[in-house]
Amino acid sequence: MSLLQSIYEKIIKSNLQQADRSRLIKGILHSFIIQGISILLVFAGNYLLVKFFGSEKYGVYVHVFNWISILTMLALNGQDDVVLSRLPKYKVQNNLKQAGAVIRHANIRVAMGGIIISGLFLLLIYLFPIPTLSEYRSQFLIAALAIYLSAFLTINQMVLQSLNHIRLRQVI
């Protein structure tokens, strides 16, 4: 609570105008509430998974989900950083053609990366008997689609985030 109080005091003592200050405080509170609700939903979802499927199947779910998360980062191939660094620059320069090219390029690379990473991973666990991976081949086969979808979702969230940062700078 003292952390929130110190942030609030720094905002109050800053050189912002009252309208900007209240907008900033409202944004912080909304973000805090949204993150709190997100944590509660994740907790409730995990609780229900354990309740209905048991701890052993939940462990398999977590194992597969963790591998999918790691493979998604590989499929992104750094394109999230490229979008966050280049898109605001092109947007400020009003170079919409180049901004669109960056978005298309990132989406194509992520799509190709997702397909290649999924294929290589599935090939690996089907050809070589890796104990903790090969025994869940069917789960990984189903979850392989999630690698592509998760990477695609992440890259497009980064696009929206980079555009939102521009809008916020213009407001404040």
Side-chain angles (χ1 to χ4, degrees), residues 1 5 8 15 46 51 64 81 96 114 119 126 146-147 155 159:
M1 197 61 166
Q5 188 175 7
Y8 181 75
N15 294 332
N46 287 335
K51 182 100 171 138
V64 170
D81 293 329
L96 299 180
Y126 274 90
I147 296 169
I155 194 67
V159 166

Side-chain angles (χ1 to χ4, degrees), residues 11 21 33 37 44 72 92 99 102 104-105 108 118 149 161:
I11 292 171
R21 191 176 302 136
I33 290 168
I37 291 170
T72 296
V92 167
V102 167
R104 276 189 305 280
H105 176 75
I108 290 169
S118 296
L149 295 175
Q161 183 178 351

Side-chain angles (χ1 to χ4, degrees), residues 5-16:
Q5 188 175 7
S6 67
I7 292 172
Y8 181 75
E9 289 174 3
K10 286 180 182 178
I11 292 171
I12 295 297
K13 293 178 183 177
S14 68
N15 294 332
L16 294 174

Side-chain angles (χ1 to χ4, degrees), residues 75 109-123 147-148:
R109 289 201 49 155
V110 165
M112 295 300 291
I115 292 167
I116 291 169
I117 293 294
S118 296
L120 287 175
F121 182 73
L122 290 173
L123 187 66
I147 296 169
Y148 167 74

Side-chain angles (χ1 to χ4, degrees), residues 7-170:
I7 292 172
Y8 181 75
E9 289 174 3
K10 286 180 182 178
I11 292 171
I12 295 297
K13 293 178 183 177
S14 68
N15 294 332
L16 294 174
Q17 294 178 359
Q18 181 60 34
D20 293 335
R21 191 176 302 136
S22 62
R23 192 174 321 140
L24 186 59
I25 291 170
K26 189 185 289 186
I28 290 170
L29 289 174
H30 286 159
S31 177
F32 186 71
I33 290 168
I34 289 169
Q35 289 178 6
I37 291 170
S38 296
I39 290 169
L40 288 174
L41 288 173
V42 168
F43 177 78
N46 287 335
Y47 177 78
L48 290 173
L49 282 172
V50 171
K51 182 100 171 138
F52 291 120
F53 296 113
S55 59
E56 186 176 330
K57 287 185 180 178
Y58 178 72
V60 171
Y61 163 78
V62 170
H63 178 64
V64 170
F65 185 80
N66 286 339
W67 272 102
I68 296 305
S69 297
I70 291 167
L71 295 170
T72 296
M73 289 297 115
L74 292 174
L76 281 171
N77 195 24
Q79 293 303 304
D80 50 342
D81 293 329
V82 170
V83 166
L84 280 175
S85 66
R86 292 193 180 164
L87 194 57
K89 180 179 87 171
Y90 295 137
K91 186 72 174 169
V92 167
Q93 295 171 350
N94 202 22
N95 191 348
L96 299 180
K97 184 176 181 181
Q98 192 64 33
V102 167
I103 293 169
R104 276 189 305 280
H105 176 75
N107 276 300
I108 290 169
R109 289 201 49 155
V110 165
M112 295 300 291
I115 292 167
I116 291 169
I117 293 294
S118 296
L120 287 175
F121 182 73
L122 290 173
L123 187 66
L124 177 75
I125 64 174
Y126 274 90
L127 291 180
F128 302 103
I130 302 168
T132 60
L133 299 177
S134 295
E135 61 191 81
Y136 303 116
R137 286 181 182 135
S138 60
Q139 289 89 344
F140 280 115
L141 184 61
I142 295 167
L145 181 62
I147 296 169
Y148 167 74
L149 295 175
S150 182
F152 182 73
L153 181 67
T154 301
I155 194 67
N156 285 294
Q157 283 178 335
M158 291 299 139
V159 166
L160 293 174
Q161 183 178 351
S162 65
L163 293 173
N164 191 35
H165 282 311
I166 296 165
R167 185 187 62 79
L168 290 176
R169 273 191 225 115
Q170 291 172 346

